[in-house]
Amino acid sequence: MDISFEVYPPRNPDDGPKLEAAILKLAELDPKFISVTFGAGGSSTKNSLEVLRFIRTNTTSMPLAHLTCVGTTESEARSLVHQFADAGIVDFLALRGDLPDGQEAPGPDSLARTDQLVSLIRSTQKSSGQVAVAAFPNGHPESGATRSDLDALKAKQDAGADFAITQLFFYTRDYFDFIELARSRGITIPIIAGIMPIVSAKRLQRVVELTGEENPTELADALANASSPEQRTEVGIDWAAKQVAELREAGIDAVHLYAFNEYKNVTEVLRRSGARS
Ligand code: FAD
């Protein structure tokens, strides 16, 4: 099974060496790529780039740069793509991002949709770089009953996206149903399942708030009933490992793990699921 990981730039410079050590451990699991998140509006450009450079220089995995476009003009986005390319980073996960709290609409010159960013990367980045995009098995919080997230995904595919990575989901049935729905709407690109081991009730609450996913009662109860941090870690790893095992059994050939800048939990998820020995 192909695997990949997501990390984020260290929030505190002192955490840099710890992240680099984790990346080297993650790289031993032979991931196809390691993606690095990006602060909307470019707040983390320098730090993201440093982490991407580290991956490029010290591992054989493809560094995949998240890039957001909302609040960014076309020429600013183009120069960001050039800045990454000059550092040897040519593969991108194109995202819209979110406006800062309190801001209702992007400025008049700002890019507003991800398909615009995909086209811009494609036209700026003429080398063989790949462009990934996000997909939402249970719908994006803005997508409503018409599932406009699927129209958005189709627009991103039509603009030249090579593959998609999903938002986390808690039940594999949601992923299988989504693939069926996406294929029925003419979406043909590979859609990699995003899996997040959740090892505390606090983290679960935060991701449910951020993603708009429905609270998974069974997981929430199991985390609440666990009596120590070690037990909660067990619960979270087991849940994610079961998801990966179910995907493997169904013949799914790739998963993307949200690693939270450490390697032990995701390594254990892959081992328990049988995806890695
Ligand atoms: P899109 O999927 O492009 O669109 C969002 C919604 O707008 C759609 O669901 C739809 O309702 C509507 N819409 C857009 N285009 C159309 C269209 N053509 N037709 C109809 N409706 C449309 N955020 C960060 O700030 N930094 C990161 O590094 C980051 N990494 C992420 C990684 C992954 C794997 C995922 C799943 C999300 C990530 N995000 C990140 C969050 C992302 O920025 C948010 O989901 C944001 O709200 C929307 O960006 P998008 O690219 O997902 O939007």
Side-chain angles (χ1 to χ4, degrees):
M1 179 179 234
D2 286 343
I3 59 166
S4 55
F5 299 109
E6 175 181 302
V7 298
Y8 52 84
R11 294 191 177 125
N12 170 343
D14 294 348
D15 293 339
K18 198 169 147 232
L19 173 60
E20 291 178 357
I23 288 172
L24 295 178
K25 284 290 197 185
L26 293 172
E28 287 174 13
L29 298 165
D30 194 24
K32 282 267 173 226
F33 61 87
I34 301 177
S35 78
V36 181
T37 65
F38 186 81
S43 55
S44 70
T45 310
K46 186 171 157 279
N47 292 345
S48 296
L49 205 45
E50 254 172 46
V51 179
L52 289 156
R53 269 209 198 96
F54 181 86
I55 295 166
R56 182 170 180 270
T57 314
N58 295 285
T59 79
T60 53
S61 301
M62 172 177 112
L64 182 71
H66 296 209
L67 198 59
T68 62
C69 65
V70 71
T72 307
T73 65
E74 192 176 322
S75 79
E76 284 166 348
R78 213 173 277 287
S79 73
L80 265 176
V81 174
H82 282 304
Q83 196 184 338
F84 279 87
D86 289 347
I89 308 300
V90 296
D91 303 288
F92 293 93
L93 170 54
L95 299 146
R96 186 195 68 185
D98 292 307
L99 286 168
D101 279 349
Q103 199 176 324
E104 298 269 303
D109 300 330
S110 156
L111 295 173
R113 295 192 324 271
T114 314
D115 58 290
Q116 296 172 305
L117 179 61
V118 173
S119 301
L120 184 144
I121 295 170
R122 278 272 166 257
S123 65
T124 310
Q125 181 56 55
K126 295 211 166 56
S127 73
S128 57
Q130 299 201 47
V131 184
V133 292
F136 298 84
N138 291 313
H140 182 274
E142 291 163 37
S143 69
T146 59
R147 291 300 301 260
S148 58
D149 59 301
L150 286 158
D151 299 323
L153 185 53
K154 178 71 167 53
K156 294 187 274 194
Q157 169 180 285
D158 293 348
D162 296 298
F163 64 96
I165 303 173
T166 75
Q167 181 60 282
L168 69 98
F169 53 88
F170 296 109
Y171 299 97
T172 46
R173 171 55 44 212
D174 295 347
Y175 173 79
F176 298 131
D177 289 349
F178 175 66
I179 296 296
E180 228 177 279
L181 187 59
R183 300 303 179 225
S184 76
R185 299 264 200 118
I187 294 154
T188 54
I189 53 174
I191 302 175
I192 301 178
I195 301 289
M196 183 183 287
I198 298 191
V199 296
S200 79
K202 198 169 147 212
R203 185 176 285 174
L204 177 61
Q205 192 191 346
R206 177 138 177 78
V207 299
V208 165
E209 274 165 23
L210 280 176
T211 61
E213 289 290 306
E214 212 164 287
N215 193 30
T217 324
E218 280 167 80
L219 175 59
D221 288 350
L223 287 170
N225 292 332
S227 57
S228 65
E230 291 74 27
Q231 272 194 20
R232 282 186 279 280
T233 300
E234 276 299 301
V235 166
I237 289 175
D238 259 349
W239 187 280
K242 185 166 162 273
Q243 287 186 292
V244 177
E246 285 173 7
L247 292 166
R248 287 186 70 217
E249 271 160 34
I252 304 298
D253 59 5
V255 285
H256 181 70
L257 286 128
Y258 295 96
F260 283 104
N261 286 13
E262 60 91 55
Y263 69 94
K264 285 190 182 144
N265 291 352
V266 286
T267 303
E268 194 52 23
V269 167
L270 291 169
R271 195 191 63 75
R272 282 187 206 180
S273 66
R276 287 293 181 275
S277 51

